[in-house]
Amino acid sequence: MAGELPFEKPLVDLRQKITELKGLSEEKGIDFSEEILRLEHKCKQMEDELYSELTPAQKMHMARHHQRPTSLDFIQTVFTDFIELHGDRLFADDLAIVGGLAKINGVPVTVIGHQRGKDTRENIARFFGSPHPEGFRKALRFMEQANKFKRPIITFIDTKGAYPGNTAEERGQSEAIARNLREMAGFGVPIICIVIGEGGSGGALALGVGNRVLMLENAIYSVISPNGAASILWKDASKADIAAEAMKITAKDLLEFGVIEDIVPEPRGGAHRDLDFQAEQLKEKLWHHLQELMLLSPEQLIEDRYNKFRKIGPYQIAEEQSLVVQSDSEQAAAGVQALTEAPVKADQASEVTPTVN
């Protein structure tokens, strides 16, 4: 199995043993069918145990898998007639953001997503999926065009965060993110956001203001990456696994909190095991929500989006305590009593005449 994660090693070793036994049986003509059947049954049990109860830390590593499908992978498999657009018309074309025009079941849409590389060279060119300000302004240009021509907007979220370097700050990183948040809140077209890998910090939120937010089953979504949280809390980024356990970053947790609306199932072992199956599952969920939203008017879409984010973070108001109102004389009497009952400090005590025996 290519690209296995450390926690998958026992399963990989068992599969390798089954393969070796099958090869030996064919080569030597020895019947190992019973042993192979036993190991295959054990392998299925191990798969069920391993993938049915992945920990948040294990899901974090799966979300970051180097073979996990990217935004372009999904754009090319879920949509048709994709035409990629480039540049923000202000500074440059940030390759960490991709987008353009496409169709889903014949309906024209605008698709935008973070794009990381498949190898070292491409990752460097795409800044490992961490956009500069021109990337967010590029995305905003595409969204403004979609709003003008009444096309639904689909965004794919897959970034550890916005690019943190000096060049990004000099060109207005925080302003670019804030502007995207403000403008996305007011667009009168359906907006569906899908977290396909890791959604981290403001870099994710800049594409995350939608009527519906979906997540792949093993994706993660948080205000800061687990590595960043660990470096702040323990001054040690290597403790990211511990931070991930406490941060409630999985799709299941976020669905319970109302941060997302739906979870897209993944194939056994992660989205990278079967792109076609994953694309089919994603398209089904996406089309379901898009059909619902296309029935709403621009005003209803804006109101729906506002209500979605307004309800996040439920809280309870404690019952009001009854207050006892005292008159001025009662307050004065209470103050005198408190002073007389207070212990006198040694340095403030008045002189006392000693008793003569």
Side-chain angles (χ1 to χ4, degrees):
M1 183 188 299
E4 66 273 4
L5 295 167
F7 67 86
E8 296 177 300
K9 191 175 186 307
L11 182 60
V12 173
D13 292 342
L14 184 57
R15 286 172 173 165
Q16 181 64 30
K17 188 173 182 179
I18 293 172
T19 302
E20 291 174 357
L21 276 178
K22 288 181 177 180
L24 188 62
S25 178
E26 293 178 0
E27 182 181 347
K28 302 294 184 181
I30 304 174
D31 185 10
F32 290 114
S33 57
E34 291 187 5
E35 179 67 12
I36 291 172
L37 188 63
R38 185 184 67 82
L39 290 178
E40 286 178 340
H41 179 69
K42 183 179 179 181
C43 182
K44 187 178 183 306
Q45 285 184 323
M46 188 178 293
E47 279 185 346
D48 292 339
E49 293 174 1
L50 181 63
Y51 294 122
S52 62
E53 294 295 336
L54 289 177
T55 66
Q58 289 170 339
K59 289 191 175 186
M60 175 186 71
H61 292 295
M62 192 165 286
R64 294 174 173 178
H65 197 286
H66 66 280
Q67 294 179 348
R68 193 170 178 84
T70 64
S71 295
L72 282 177
D73 290 329
F74 285 121
I75 289 172
Q76 292 164 357
T77 52
V78 173
F79 304 90
T80 59
D81 304 310
F82 175 61
I83 301 174
E84 186 173 359
L85 304 178
H86 296 275
D88 67 341
R89 293 186 179 175
L90 292 170
F91 183 78
D93 183 26
D94 189 346
L95 298 181
I97 292 285
V98 296
L101 312 177
K103 290 182 180 179
I104 178 169
N105 292 337
V107 176
V109 295
T110 290
V111 291
I112 306 164
H114 301 97
Q115 181 65 27
R116 52 184 173 78
K118 293 291 187 70
D119 53 38
T120 302
R121 182 186 296 274
E122 190 179 2
N123 267 319
I124 292 173
R126 297 189 183 276
F127 300 100
F128 293 84
S130 295
H132 283 68
E134 52 268 25
F136 297 122
R137 292 172 181 138
K138 171 183 176 180
L140 180 59
R141 182 171 78 84
F142 298 166
M143 289 188 281
E144 288 174 337
Q145 183 194 72
N147 188 58
K148 177 180 179 179
F149 292 103
K150 310 303 179 187
R151 287 193 302 267
I153 299 169
I154 313 297
T155 69
F156 293 99
I157 298 172
D158 187 17
T159 182
K160 292 183 180 181
Y163 188 76
N166 290 339
T167 54
E169 296 299 332
E170 289 168 355
R171 296 199 289 271
Q173 186 74 287
S174 58
E175 186 274 341
I177 294 173
R179 184 179 294 272
N180 277 28
L181 299 179
R182 186 188 69 181
E183 298 301 323
M184 289 184 77
F187 288 142
V189 295
I191 303 178
I192 300 178
C193 310
I194 309 162
V195 184
I196 61 174
E198 178 175 10
S201 194
L205 293 177
L207 297 185
V209 184
N211 297 90
R212 302 288 184 271
V213 179
L214 316 182
M215 282 182 70
L216 266 60
E217 184 179 356
N218 295 317
I220 60 174
Y221 195 27
S222 59
V223 71
I224 188 174
S225 70
N227 303 74
S231 65
I232 292 173
L233 294 175
W234 297 290
K235 311 299 181 185
D236 185 358
S238 66
K239 293 185 177 181
D241 286 5
I242 301 175
E245 298 288 342
M247 291 173 64
K248 303 294 184 183
I249 58 178
T250 67
K252 182 179 178 181
D253 290 326
L254 296 173
L255 182 63
E256 292 176 358
F257 293 149
V259 175
I260 67 171
E261 279 68 46
D262 209 344
I263 298 175
V264 182
E266 291 192 27
R268 188 66 63 88
H272 56 286
R273 300 297 179 197
D274 192 340
L275 174 59
D276 291 335
F277 173 84
Q278 187 62 77
E280 182 182 346
Q281 293 295 312
L282 178 58
K283 185 176 182 178
E284 182 181 339
K285 293 281 190 181
L286 177 58
W287 181 242
H288 168 73
H289 289 283
L290 187 57
Q291 284 180 300
E292 290 183 350
L293 293 173
M294 287 192 299
L295 298 175
L296 303 180
S297 67
E299 294 75 19
Q300 289 173 324
L301 286 167
I302 295 171
E303 182 69 16
D304 174 79
R305 203 174 303 131
Y306 172 82
N307 290 332
K308 174 213 164 18
F309 286 94
R310 194 73 175 88
K311 71 182 181 182
I312 294 175
Y315 60 91
Q316 292 181 339
I317 299 177
E319 295 182 2
E320 294 184 1
Q321 299 289 335
S322 58
L323 300 177
V324 178
V325 181
Q326 295 178 318
S327 65
D328 292 343
S329 59
E330 288 175 332
Q331 292 180 18
V336 171
Q337 183 179 359
L339 288 174
T340 56
E341 291 179 354
V344 180
K345 294 182 180 180
D347 59 341
Q348 294 177 342
S350 58
E351 294 184 2
V352 180
T353 304
T355 303
V356 178
N357 293 330

